């Protein structure tokens, strides 16, 4: 839950994972970087469920487990939804969507989304 660790192998590992899409992924990172929050948060970079298992509650189970850890530490979350269906899922889990970022060269829109940790709206209230 601390600051991101500088990884000297990051680009090599990303190139291996992205394969032929490496250059497009770098472009995505560049275009969306200006919309990333600067306050401390945890970035949910990837969450995936096999298409045949989508709609069965697996994504919700993953998010619930992730949010329990974040809420226990008082950490907000940031992510970028890759489509409107995913955006609606994240909204149901307490995220707020910003205006989408449109990727160049026919890329999809990306919705930057923020979730305060549970209890954030009660902070500072008299007790």
């Amino acid at each position: 839950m601390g600051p991101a660790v500088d990884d000297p192998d990051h680009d090599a590992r990303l190139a291996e994972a992205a394969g032929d899409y490496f250059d497009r992924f770098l472009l995505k990172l560049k275009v969306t970087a200006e919309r990333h929050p600067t306050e401390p948060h945890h970035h949910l970079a990837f969450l995936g469920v096999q298409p045949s298992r989508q709609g069965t509650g697996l994504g919700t189970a993953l998010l619930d487990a992730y949010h329990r850890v974040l809420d226990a530490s008082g950490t907000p979350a940031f992510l970028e939804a890759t489509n409107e269906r995913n955006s609606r899922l994240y909204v149901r889990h307490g995220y707020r969507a910003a205006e989408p970022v449109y990727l160049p060269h026919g890329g999809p829109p990306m919705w930057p989304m923020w979730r305060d940790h549970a209890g954030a709206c009660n902070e500072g209230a008299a007790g």
Side-chain angles (χ1 to χ4, degrees), residues 48-121:
V49 175
Q50 287 184 324
S52 64
R53 304 288 304 273
Q54 291 175 357
T56 64
L58 289 175
T60 290
L62 291 168
L63 283 170
D64 287 347
Y66 172 69
H67 293 150
R68 279 192 295 276
V69 172
L70 295 179
D71 292 345
S73 66
T75 305
F78 172 78
L79 59 79
E80 294 155 329
T82 57
N83 60 51
E84 289 186 56
R85 179 181 180 198
N86 290 348
S87 178
R88 289 189 302 270
L89 168 71
Y90 297 127
V91 165
R92 288 194 306 270
H93 287 273
Y95 287 83
R96 295 183 311 274
E99 289 298 314
V101 174
Y102 291 91
L103 300 181
H105 310 296
M110 306 283 292
W111 285 265
M113 302 187 78
W114 180 264
R115 178 186 180 270
D116 290 317
H117 62 85
C121 60

Side-chain angles (χ1 to χ4, degrees), residues 24-35:
R24 290 186 73 185
F25 195 82
L26 289 179
L27 179 61
K28 178 263 181 210
L29 293 176
K30 180 180 177 184
V31 170
T32 60
E34 67 185 40
R35 299 284 293 275

